[in-house]
Amino acid sequence: MFRNQYDTDVTTWSPAGRLFQVEYAMEAVKQGSAAIGLRSKTHVILACVNKASSELSSHQKKIFKVDDHIGVAIAGLTADGRVLSRYMRNECINYNFTYESPLPVGRLVVQLADKAQVCTQRSWKRPYGVGLLVAGLDESGAHLYYNCPSGNYFEYQAFAIGSRSQAAKTYLERRFENFMGSSREDLIKDALISVRETLQGEKLKSSICTVAVVGVGEAFHILDQETVQQLIDSFELVREDEPPAPEAGDAVADQSEASAPVAEEGAAPMDI
Amino acid sequence: MDQKPFSQGLLSSEADSQRTLYPYVTGTSVVALKYKDGILMAADMGGSYGSTLRYKSVERMKSIGKHSLLGASGELSDFQEILRYLDELILYDNMWDDGNSLGPKEVHSYLTRVMYNRRNKFNPLWSSLVLGGVKNGEKYLGMVSMIGVHFEDNHVATGFGNHLARPILREEWHENLSFEDGVKLLEKCMRVLLYRDRSAVNKLQIAKITEEGVTVSQPYSLKTFWGFSAFSNPTVGAEGSW
């Protein structure tokens, strides 16, 4: 994307019918660290990569609980993400107060999208530079949505956003058909494997990733570090012994031939 | 905010004409109970203007959306206003067109908020509301008063029904009443109210709401018995009286 004379204002169209400021906002999402979401009939999992700017600092919070039945993972300008999370929490609380009932996630997502659209049509505003993966439950089951700075929203079976998300998307594309019937544990495992795909060989540790779950009968909550580490350990070990899934069969075969059981040595299979 | 009857009329302040002070055309009790398949609700069709039984074909129960039934006593124009609010609420709910819909619990909460907020402004909607419904197999029956007091129960009544009908319901209501037994129980309550409540009229409707939807019966009357011997010679115990 190159600089051109139509990209100064969000209210300026290009001759090709594009709003460059909005597209640049979507670039900001692509530069943020990865966030992944996937869902089954009854559960939705959000996972993200937490990069700290230095060893001395803490990680950025990228997953927010919006209500007992809704959570969101963000990628891009985290400050914008925080503001939108606050808006979502407010909407949920207000709805709950009036109707004593949880706000259906599909409606919240539309409100969020309309809010984002406003910023693409005012000369004194700028688009939100954050993509949101909204996970939630409503009457019709578990849902995962992606809200874009452009004001569009889509529902997904599984999706990944942020930097190196293509690796995760490729993995998810191979597996998503089974997700509807997956158990909670299998979903979490798939989420962690997707996160690992985006790490490009770096070791997957619970200190650099965050996992959150919401499901029927299970309020939205972020899993604590130990639980995540145990889950990582459990599937890493399985990987060493035998192929855990038919798709990953080839990669695992290579792995167990090539390197020692210690995950530090061998690189993670790159399926890009 | 004390009532000063003598200062009404020529001297009533303009502010007073902007808020509800008294009810004018009123409906009397509504009685409702949960039964096996849903909710049964009964209300007569009278609209009283003070002590005059002025309107005799008033429908005091209306269906709300797909899942709820609302019955009201008290000021009838306020009931009509509430129906307009709910109309708008259900309309916007339907416009989402997304598979979610407001159930009886949500409508009840919404009404509670409306009634309470009006009460806080000293401009109440002078109605007692009964909200019943079934959604996804769950039966719901609740009440909201004109000051925003709200609760849920297996059987509720408004107005005189609280004093005359609820004791009967407490004794005779049980889980999983059949439709016939539920109607018989409601008719028993309505008959007592007809005998004892001055503002009751002998023309009532019974409404039922189940998972399938709402049905409001055609208006009908209850049989009454007045052939007590004490009525044939009422002054026998007090000579000279009439």
Side-chain angles (χ1 to χ4, degrees), chain B residues 138 159 217 235:
Chain B
E138 300 243 347
S217 75
T235 60

Side-chain angles (χ1 to χ4, degrees), chain A residues 27-172:
Chain A
E27 272 304 306
V29 177
K30 294 184 205 163
Q31 302 299 331
S33 54
I36 286 142
L38 21 60
R39 62 129 181 191
S40 72
K41 212 152 180 271
T42 52
H43 287 82
V44 195
I45 311 289
L46 291 174
C48 66
V49 173
N50 277 33
K51 286 294 170 61
S53 51
S54 81
E55 274 185 29
L56 299 168
S57 80
S58 65
H59 301 125
Q60 279 216 309
K61 189 163 170 198
K62 283 164 47 88
I63 296 190
F64 299 92
K65 175 169 174 167
V66 168
D67 201 344
D68 282 338
H69 67 298
I70 301 183
V72 64
I74 64 175
L77 265 54
T78 18
D80 283 2
R82 245 191 359 261
V83 160
L84 288 177
S85 302
R86 191 168 58 229
Y87 168 74
M88 292 165 79
R89 285 172 177 166
N90 209 31
E91 292 299 299
C92 283
I93 283 180
N94 286 340
Y95 188 91
N96 210 320
F97 176 70
T98 308
Y99 301 102
E100 274 193 54
S101 193
L103 174 58
V105 62
R107 297 190 181 185
L108 177 61
V109 158
V110 173
Q111 282 173 256
L112 198 51
D114 289 345
K115 195 172 158 68
Q117 191 278 342
V118 169
C119 298
T120 66
Q121 213 176 5
R122 306 278 184 272
S123 61
W124 62 91
K125 286 182 181 255
R126 64 157 178 84
Y128 288 105
V130 64
L132 302 116
L133 280 172
V134 184
L137 261 41
D138 67 20
E139 261 179 70
S140 38
H143 297 273
L144 173 68
Y145 293 93
Y146 170 53
N147 276 68
C148 219
S150 62
N152 281 328
Y153 69 97
F154 307 94
E155 185 167 0
Y156 285 97
Q157 191 68 40
F159 200 51
I161 57 177
S163 68
R164 294 194 283 245
S165 57
Q166 190 51 53
K169 269 190 261 196
T170 315
Y171 173 77
L172 292 168

